[in-house]
Amino acid sequence: MFGYIMADEKQLSPEEVARYRKVYCGVCHSLKEQNGQLCRMTLTYDMTFLALLLNSLYEPLEHEDSARCGAHPTKPQPFATSECTEYAADATVLLAYHKLMDDWHDDRKVSRRAMAQALSSAYRAASARRPAVAQAIESGMADIRAIEQCGDESLDAAANRFGVILGRVFAYREDFWAGELRRMGAWIGKFVYLMDAVMDYDEDLESGNYNPLVAAGAVPGDVSEGLRSIAAQAAQSFERLPLEQDIHILRNVMYAGLWGQYCGKFGDTAHDDGEMAPSATRAADGDDGE
């Protein structure tokens, strides 16, 4: 993933930070148990958010423990695992493998190809456990690769396709909440893809790597309002879910954390007092993110 779906810990209480990190470590523990020690290198806060979201929605049994690891060899770290951290761990591996292969195609960095090969066994195992999710990611990333290779000048083509991918990842179960989770994930996926284009704009302009802004003759400032609209649509779906557990952490991610890197780079504020009201703002292109 891209590392944008994370909390702004400065706005969380010490207890909330501890809880957030406990689930993060839980996803890490699930990565090791299901996919092997090497897969812990793929850990991001993106799927920690998904684990927290699904834990809050479905309220599965959580197991708490503590353990030492490579990052913390001297002091055991508390962690919390559940069926949702296990799902997030598999999704992490599936997404990381394709991200590595995408980087290989873009930059021909041997290290990326080598890491993808090292993950191939874990990728196959995760695919066997989550075949529908794996297929959605594989076909979606192939479509994005084709869009990028033809130099598509649309700002939305690849972003919408990545939204479909993340929408499928968010839809943990085919149940009453699947549609809302899919919509929320689709909007977040579109946001993440365009945010990554904004953050990588200067580098891609120089290197010649595909960037929808560069292809469309746009600059980062041209999509700032569109990003706000997309985030607001994601927030609408988020607020329709019956969430109670960890709700302040989840809202922190949705209304503050998503904008952390943007504000750090541009010194801009995408929200007031750390939050942006989930208004009925219409997305810039008028679609539903899928």
Side-chain angles (χ1 to χ4, degrees):
M1 286 288 286
F2 299 92
Y4 297 110
I5 315 173
M6 59 191 300
D8 181 354
E9 292 190 2
K10 298 187 298 296
Q11 298 185 29
L12 298 176
S13 69
E15 294 77 17
E16 288 169 337
V17 171
R19 167 64 177 170
Y20 186 52
R21 294 179 180 177
K22 186 181 291 186
V23 175
Y24 176 79
C25 289
V27 176
C28 185
H29 185 80
S30 294
L31 277 166
K32 183 193 75 169
E33 292 300 306
Q34 294 180 171
N35 304 296
Q37 185 74 18
L38 180 65
C39 291
R40 293 178 121 168
M41 296 177 63
T42 67
L43 178 67
T44 71
Y45 279 107
D46 299 303
M47 292 295 102
T48 301
F49 171 77
L50 181 60
L52 281 164
L53 179 76
L54 297 177
N55 274 340
S56 186
L57 181 61
Y58 292 110
E59 300 180 339
L61 180 66
E62 288 192 30
H63 171 72
E64 295 193 4
D65 205 340
S66 63
R68 295 180 177 86
C69 64
H72 304 95
T74 61
K75 182 180 179 181
Q77 298 296 303
F79 63 84
T81 57
S82 69
E83 64 179 66
C84 297
T85 66
E86 293 170 357
Y87 176 76
D90 279 342
T92 296
V93 172
L94 295 172
L95 289 164
Y97 176 84
H98 284 286
K99 180 66 167 64
L100 288 164
M101 291 303 296
D102 188 60
D103 289 346
W104 156 250
H105 287 302
D106 283 346
D107 302 321
R108 293 296 170 179
K109 289 183 179 178
V110 176
S111 61
R112 296 302 204 181
R113 174 82 174 187
M115 183 63 179
Q117 289 178 332
L119 291 179
S120 59
S121 177
Y123 175 79
R124 288 192 296 271
S127 297
R129 286 189 293 269
R130 322 283 182 183
V133 177
Q135 178 57 39
I137 294 172
E138 182 176 349
S139 62
M141 292 302 292
D143 289 346
I144 291 172
R145 168 57 45 188
I147 290 168
E148 293 177 345
Q149 286 179 338
C150 76
D152 195 302
E153 296 181 1
S154 168
L155 284 172
D156 298 318
N160 283 341
R161 195 65 186 89
F162 188 72
V164 174
I165 292 172
L166 207 60
R168 180 59 188 86
V169 172
F170 270 53
Y172 174 46
R173 298 174 181 169
E174 290 299 332
D175 61 6
F176 180 81
W177 298 111
E180 206 66 73
L181 286 167
R182 200 180 297 266
R183 281 187 289 274
M184 178 184 172
W187 284 113
I188 291 178
K190 182 172 183 176
F191 177 92
V192 164
Y193 190 93
L194 288 176
M195 180 63 78
D196 197 59
V198 168
M199 300 303 292
D200 290 348
Y201 178 84
D202 292 334
E203 181 181 340
D204 291 340
L205 185 63
E206 181 177 350
S207 69
N209 287 341
Y210 178 79
N211 184 305
L213 276 73
V214 176
V219 296
D222 294 338
V223 296
S224 59
E225 287 303 319
L227 284 170
R228 288 177 174 85
S229 295
I230 293 166
Q233 291 285 1
Q236 284 186 8
S237 288
F238 168 76
E239 294 293 346
R240 283 193 286 263
L241 297 172
L243 307 173
E244 294 185 12
Q245 180 179 312
D246 301 320
I247 186 60
H248 188 254
I249 300 173
L250 293 166
R251 283 190 170 131
N252 173 282
V253 175
M254 290 297 299
Y255 302 126
L258 280 176
W259 295 95
Q261 293 192 45
Y262 184 94
C263 294
K265 182 171 183 176
F266 296 104
D268 192 10
T269 54
H271 38 73
D272 296 320
D273 298 325
E275 293 197 348
M276 179 178 64
S279 62
T281 309
R282 182 172 172 269
D285 62 357
D287 65 19
D288 66 352
E290 297 189 49

